[in-house]
């Protein structure tokens, strides 16, 4: 392929995928013209933030007023809310475009976030796999996935959370590229000096702007939902582990202690204080006003924070008390719900979340449910299982001094993908009694499709493979992608609320638990 054609495709492929993403997420987002599922909380909270700077209480019957295009205003009486405000501020940006009277504005913020998420998944795929075809496959897989589409077409927080998580991981990957170059340069300089300088403990790099940016972005993610803390912790640990492995490969003799005792504390300082500061900043409306929940609680000797924390300003002490109350709500939330889906069943796609159903009375109905494209979902879960199995076989054979099997990608790419999957899923297993929903999986969906993309890259073959091998692999992948596109087209009515004959809606319920 000549350079001109390569440049053309490097623009055309991502642009085409983003076009698909924009069409599936933006067309018809004004429908239905009523608040669906948890929009009843987040859209009203977003408008309250616009008007008051904090979440106030809405009167009884507010949903009907919103559906009628006359939402009105909340009272100044503060409402207790369960999630930080940043995601609702992004929804509020959409409300500011067309006004709260227009139902399209309710979802504009999350719809744009959904399109951007597709672009970020392509960027992450390009950084990890460095092949344009895999960049396009990863983007298309999430562009046509039902859960990703629905979470872009309803004003919930999790799609925004997924965007920020993927952006933070992109910064982690960029940091790794910089650290490799910096370590190579540092070692070469010290070894070339006369006399050679010691490299036993390795360096402590402070100049890691991408790591700092990752910390800030993870802080923003926790400003949408606290569950981002698990991914922050997991990728922070992955960064330290990767630093140790890089030093060992480079010949740093005290590579483990040098990483833990020298670079580890530096990396902590670069990531964690910035994340905390940015998270606090997302609460600026609560701090800047006096009406937020618990904002004006009187701090006395009886309720003051212990020790040196008791000298903090009253606003910070009240904010901490508020966070404690939110934490108590989350760990104790176990209200039964028709569409609750324990995390243990997520891989099997047992209970997707129904967002909206309206029988139109003429044999048709409107239905919105967060069912992924089943074959993308199950295929991605299978890909993760295969990758883990290959890794285990690789490790066992390496310990025994044997060769093979070859890995489907380099170890760093595999580590990033698996960390994203397991850090977004395993922590939920710690709270089996908590009420949870399948749509939470939008946070791990980008990493699942990257796992599937990784295996499809192996099917395609490497550029150095013989032409017949690459032709066969290309044909298999092309047929599979066309099949997945057809399946997505089949499920579009369940993702967009298009009026559809009820018997055809029922035809799309492949499991009774999907109803």
């Amino acid at each position: 392929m000549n350079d001109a054609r390569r440049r053309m495709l490097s623009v055309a492929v991502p642009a085409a995928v983003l076009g698909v993403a924009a069409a599936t997420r933006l067309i018809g987002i004004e429908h239905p013209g009523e608040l669906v599922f948890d929009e009843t909380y987040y859209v009203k909270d977003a408008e309250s933030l616009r008007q008051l700077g904090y979440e106030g209480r809405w009167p009884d019957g507010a949903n009907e007023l919103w559906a009628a295009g006359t939402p009105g205003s909340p009272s100044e009486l503060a409402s207790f809310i369960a999630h930080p405000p940043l995601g609702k501020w992004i929804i509020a940006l959409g409300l500011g475009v067309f006004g709260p009277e227009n139902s399209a504005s309710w979802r504009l913020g999350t719809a744009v976030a959904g399109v951007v998420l597709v672009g970020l998944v392509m960027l992450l795929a390009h950084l990890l796999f460095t092949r344009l075809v895999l960049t396009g496959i990863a983007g298309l897989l999430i562009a046509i996935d039902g859960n990703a589409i629905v979470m872009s077409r309803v004003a919930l927080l999790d799609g925004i959370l997924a965007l920020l998580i993927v952006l933070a991981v992109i910064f982690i990957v960029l940091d790794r590229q910089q650290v490799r170059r910096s370590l190579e340069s540092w070692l070469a300089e010290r070894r070339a000096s006369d006399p050679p300088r010691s490299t036993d403990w390795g360096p402590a790099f402070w100049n890691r702007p991408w790591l700092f940016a990752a910390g800030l972005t993870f802080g923003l993610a926790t400003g949408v939902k606290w569950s981002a803390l698990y991914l922050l912790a997991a990728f922070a640990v992955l960064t330290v582990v990767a630093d140790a492995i890089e030093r060992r490969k480079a010949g740093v003799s005290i590579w483990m202690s040098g990483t833990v005792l020298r670079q580890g504390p530096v990396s902590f300082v670069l990531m964690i204080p910035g994340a905390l500061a940015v998270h606090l900043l997302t609460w600026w409306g609560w701090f800047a006003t006096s009406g937020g929940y618990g904002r004006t609680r009187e701090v006395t000797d009886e309720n003051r924070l212990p020790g040196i924390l008791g000298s903090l300003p009253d606003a910070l002490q009240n904010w901490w008390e508020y966070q404690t109350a939110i934490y108590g709500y989350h760990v104790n939330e176990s209200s039964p719900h028709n569409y609750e889906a324990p995390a243990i069943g997520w891989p099997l796609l047992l209970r997707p979340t129904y967002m909206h159903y309206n029988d139109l009375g003429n044999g048709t109905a409107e239905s919105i449910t967060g069912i992924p494209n089943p074959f993308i979902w199950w295929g991605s879960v299978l890909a993760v299982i295969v990758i883990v199995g290959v890794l285990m076989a690789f490790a066992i054979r390496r310990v025994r001094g044997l060769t093979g099997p070859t890995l489907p990608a380099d170890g760093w790419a595999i580590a990033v993908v698996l960390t994203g999957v397991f850090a977004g899923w395993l922590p939920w297993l710690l709270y089996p009694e908590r009420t949870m929903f399948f749509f939470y999986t939008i946070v791990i969906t980008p990493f699942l499709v990257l796992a599937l993309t990784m295996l499809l890259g192996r099917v395609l073959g490497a550029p150095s493979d013989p032409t017949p091998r690459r032709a066969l692999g290309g044909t298999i992948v092309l047929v599979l992608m066309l099949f997945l596109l057809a399946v997505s087209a089949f499920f579009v009515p369940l993702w967009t609320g298009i009026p559809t004959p009820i018997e055809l809606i029922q035809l799309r319920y492949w499991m009774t638990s999907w109803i």
Side-chain angles (χ1 to χ4, degrees):
M1 186 184 301
N2 60 48
D3 290 343
R5 186 180 180 191
R6 183 179 292 107
R7 286 194 298 270
M8 180 189 71
L9 287 176
S10 67
V11 173
V13 170
V17 172
L18 287 174
V20 173
T24 54
R25 285 151 176 80
L26 292 170
I27 295 175
I29 60 168
E30 72 281 357
H31 180 77
E34 61 184 275
L35 297 171
V36 303
F37 201 67
D38 281 355
E39 284 186 338
T40 186
Y41 304 114
Y42 304 131
V43 173
K44 289 186 290 187
D45 281 349
E47 179 60 15
S48 180
L49 289 173
R50 283 208 323 141
Q51 295 188 27
L52 302 175
Y54 61 90
E55 294 90 342
R57 296 186 185 181
W58 290 83
D60 294 338
N63 283 12
E64 288 73 19
L65 294 176
W66 278 81
T70 56
S73 300
S75 74
E76 295 185 0
L77 187 63
S79 175
F80 175 85
I81 54 96
H83 297 294
L86 180 59
K88 289 165 283 187
W89 277 113
I90 292 174
I91 295 172
L93 291 176
L95 292 171
V97 174
F98 301 120
E101 300 83 8
N102 188 325
S103 57
S105 70
W106 308 347
R107 302 161 186 137
L108 183 61
T110 51
V112 172
V115 177
V116 174
L117 174 62
V118 173
L120 292 180
V121 169
M122 285 193 286
L123 177 55
L124 182 55
H126 183 70
L127 291 172
L128 293 177
F129 307 136
T130 64
R131 293 179 65 184
L132 178 61
V133 62
L134 298 185
T135 299
I137 287 173
L140 187 59
L141 286 174
I142 195 166
I144 65 172
D145 178 69
N147 194 32
I149 291 172
V150 170
M151 293 309 296
S152 302
R153 296 180 63 91
V154 297
L156 272 62
L157 304 179
D158 299 76
I160 299 169
L161 175 62
L163 182 155
L164 291 170
I165 293 296
V166 172
L167 180 58
V169 174
I170 287 172
F171 291 146
I172 292 288
V173 173
L174 291 172
D175 170 72
R176 181 56 34 206
Q177 294 178 351
Q178 181 196 7
V179 165
R180 286 172 177 169
R181 294 191 298 267
S182 298
L183 180 61
E184 181 180 345
S185 176
W186 185 87
L187 289 171
E189 180 181 345
R190 294 180 76 88
R191 289 167 178 168
S193 64
D194 188 17
R197 301 169 65 188
S198 172
T199 62
D200 290 348
W201 286 83
F205 291 128
W206 283 94
N207 184 25
R208 296 177 68 168
W210 294 120
L211 187 63
F212 180 69
L216 297 181
T217 309
F218 274 121
L220 291 175
T222 62
V224 177
K225 273 193 166 184
W226 280 9
S227 53
L229 285 171
Y230 296 119
L231 288 115
L232 166 59
F235 278 99
V237 171
L238 177 63
T239 295
V240 174
V241 172
D243 282 339
I245 293 173
E246 296 286 354
R247 290 164 190 245
R248 182 185 180 189
K249 288 181 178 178
V252 175
S253 57
I254 312 176
W255 54 273
M256 177 60 77
S257 298
T259 301
V260 173
L261 299 178
R262 297 196 67 186
Q263 185 61 59
V266 172
S267 298
F268 179 91
V269 171
L270 288 173
M271 285 192 75
I272 305 306
L276 176 60
V278 168
H279 179 79
L280 276 171
L281 186 61
T282 65
W283 288 86
W284 70 269
W286 187 87
F287 284 106
T289 62
S290 60
Y293 186 89
R295 177 67 178 82
T296 57
R297 183 191 67 137
E298 182 180 359
V299 178
T300 65
D301 291 340
E302 287 74 25
N303 60 20
R304 189 177 301 275
L305 291 175
I308 193 173
L309 297 178
S311 61
L312 291 173
D314 288 1
L316 282 174
Q317 298 206 46
N318 287 341
W319 177 82
W320 182 256
E321 179 68 19
Y322 192 4
Q323 306 312 297
T324 302
I326 293 174
Y327 175 77
Y329 167 82
H330 282 299
V331 297
N332 295 306
E333 172 57 31
S334 58
S335 304
H337 194 285
N338 286 339
Y339 289 98
E340 62 180 307
I344 191 68
W346 291 353
L348 297 177
L349 183 49
L350 298 179
R351 192 63 169 165
T353 310
Y354 234 115
M355 302 286 179
H356 171 73
Y357 184 85
N358 181 25
D359 189 334
L360 300 178
N362 59 357
T364 66
E366 302 169 343
S367 176
I368 300 177
T369 181
I371 298 176
N373 179 312
F375 293 104
I376 292 178
W377 179 264
W378 288 324
S380 298
V381 171
L382 180 61
V384 170
I385 295 172
V386 169
I387 292 169
V388 171
V390 170
L391 272 177
M392 294 175 62
F394 178 84
I396 292 171
R397 292 181 66 83
R398 189 167 184 179
V399 168
R400 295 177 177 177
L402 304 174
T403 59
T406 59
L407 299 177
D410 72 81
W412 170 244
I414 292 173
V416 168
V417 170
L418 294 185
T419 299
V421 171
F422 291 120
W425 175 52
L426 292 179
W428 293 102
L429 300 179
L430 301 176
Y431 305 97
E433 301 301 322
R434 190 192 188 282
T435 304
M436 56 190 74
F437 299 94
F438 182 81
F439 67 81
Y440 297 173
T441 60
I442 186 57
V443 173
I444 64 175
T445 296
F447 303 100
L448 285 171
V449 300
L450 287 172
L452 180 56
T453 300
M454 193 184 300
L455 290 194
L456 292 179
R458 179 52 61 92
V459 174
L460 283 170
S464 57
D465 286 341
T467 299
R469 162 69 179 83
R470 288 186 287 112
L472 176 61
T475 300
I476 293 172
V477 172
L478 177 60
V479 170
L480 176 62
M481 295 302 293
L482 291 174
F483 171 73
L484 295 176
L485 280 166
V487 173
S488 287
F490 177 73
F491 275 94
V492 161
L494 285 190
W495 300 338
T496 59
I498 297 172
T500 304
I502 293 176
E503 61 271 17
L504 294 184
I505 292 177
Q506 294 171 341
L507 187 63
R508 292 163 171 85
Y509 298 146
W510 293 358
M511 296 185 185
T512 56
S513 61
W514 290 6
I515 301 175

